[in-house]
Amino acid sequence: MVQADCRSQALTGNERWFLVHTQPKSEWKAKLHLGAQGFRPYLPQIQKTIRHARKLSTVRAPLFPRYLFVALDLERDRWLSVRSTIGVSRLCTTQDGRPVPVPIGIVESLIVRSDGSVTRMDAGLVKGQQVRILSGPFVDFIGTLERLDGAGRVQVLLKLMGTAVPVSLHRSALLPAA
């Protein structure tokens, strides 16, 4: 399934990936309407835990809130219609109005890290690295990666109330901190 998804996202001819800025919380709406017009949008997503009314729930969320990518051939496609698509705020352009392509390799690396629905950002983690926790009761905490094992479990040291507290979780719940 992963290979089929990657093939469907592969660029053909003069196509390039372009960045689309969406309206607030409208990434999926924009993706749906761009797809209905014949464009090929790509919305990288992560698993994320959200808190609401003392309740934790894990949901899929955009990796880049308010942004998605669309494959366009500027000579072939009617790219001006992207701007008026439901859910889209604007297409990222230069001052003269031409869309700016995303550098080659960025979107492709996100697609490779995706399992079809969720993009995994935990590849290349190393001991001592600062990481952000994406899910569970410690969501949005930043800590130091202390230990990795072959089964995918990690131990992260979190600074809580002046002391380092070890927390064990799955490596897919981590994102390298910027």
Side-chain angles (χ1 to χ4, degrees):
M1 178 168 156
V2 175
Q3 293 174 347
D5 183 51
C6 290
R7 277 196 301 268
S8 69
Q9 296 294 346
L11 299 178
T12 60
N14 292 328
E15 286 184 331
R16 293 286 305 272
W17 289 107
F18 294 89
L19 189 62
V20 175
H21 188 238
T22 67
Q23 295 170 351
K25 306 228 185 263
S26 297
E27 298 90 356
W28 284 282
K29 186 188 302 184
K31 178 182 176 186
L32 175 73
H33 288 279
L34 285 169
Q37 293 178 58
F39 295 112
R40 286 190 308 129
Y42 176 64
L43 177 62
Q45 302 171 52
I46 56 173
Q47 291 278 25
K48 181 178 177 181
T49 300
I50 57 171
R51 291 182 182 144
H52 181 70
R54 294 188 209 176
K55 184 178 173 186
L56 296 175
S57 59
T58 302
V59 296
R60 284 193 321 201
L63 178 61
F64 307 111
R66 293 197 68 187
Y67 289 95
L68 59 85
F69 302 98
V70 65
L72 297 171
D73 179 345
L74 296 182
E75 304 303 320
R76 178 193 70 202
D77 296 328
R78 296 174 46 104
W79 58 269
L80 287 172
S81 64
V82 170
R83 298 183 305 184
S84 59
T85 300
I86 295 172
V88 171
S89 177
R90 65 187 178 90
L91 185 62
C92 294
T93 61
T94 61
Q95 287 183 346
D96 67 352
R98 292 275 297 169
V100 178
V102 175
I104 294 173
I106 292 177
V107 177
E108 290 82 356
S109 69
L110 291 171
I111 292 170
V112 168
R113 291 177 179 214
S114 176
D115 67 0
S117 62
V118 176
T119 302
R120 300 268 312 258
M121 300 302 291
D122 59 347
L125 292 175
V126 293
K127 185 177 175 180
Q129 182 177 15
Q130 293 290 310
V131 292
R132 176 182 303 274
I133 299 176
L134 296 173
S135 62
F138 298 104
V139 66
D140 289 332
F141 277 61
I142 295 180
T144 305
L145 186 59
E146 181 66 21
R147 187 183 66 207
L148 293 136
D149 69 15
R153 300 293 294 173
V154 296
Q155 187 174 45
V156 177
L157 290 179
L158 299 177
K159 290 275 189 181
L160 298 173
M161 296 188 289
T163 185
V165 178
V167 175
S168 294
L169 41 105
H170 195 269
R171 69 182 295 145
S172 65
L174 299 179
L175 177 70

